[in-house]
Structures are given as C-alpha cells and as structure tokens.
Amino acid sequence: MRFEIMRLDDVDGTAVDSTVVDAASVTRIVQQAAATGQRVYIRPVDSSAL
C-alpha cells in the first residue's frame, strides 16, 4: 500500500509539499517529523491512480 504524506505549514496548515511513499517508509517519516516538530497529513493513495 502507498501513502501520500503532506508537510503542513506551521501557521495556517496548508500543504507545503507532498510525497508518495510505500508503507515501510511511513514510520521513518513520521518519526522524523515528530523529532523536528513538523506537522504532516497522511492519507492512503489509490494504487490504480498511479
């Protein structure tokens, strides 16, 4: 399964950038975001859309 991870602006919460990753990468990215205080939004990506 693949997920889209969007990094959110600290002020207004709008998406600054996004990337699509596999499930194995989600934990690492979430840990990095938590360590640096970044806000992220994660949602599953329909694999047929890729």
Side-chain angles (χ1 to χ4, degrees):
M1 182 165 209
R2 297 180 66 78
F3 294 88
E4 179 180 24
I5 299 179
M6 291 176 271
R7 188 168 52 94
L8 304 177
D9 182 77
D10 289 335
V11 176
D12 62 8
T14 58
V16 176
D17 61 29
S18 70
T19 187
V20 175
V21 298
D22 60 4
S25 299
V26 172
T27 301
R28 178 182 51 82
I29 292 170
V30 168
Q31 288 174 342
Q32 288 175 343
T36 61
Q38 289 183 329
R39 295 170 58 195
V40 293
Y41 177 75
I42 302 168
R43 65 180 177 187
V45 174
D46 181 10
S47 58
S48 64
L50 296 176

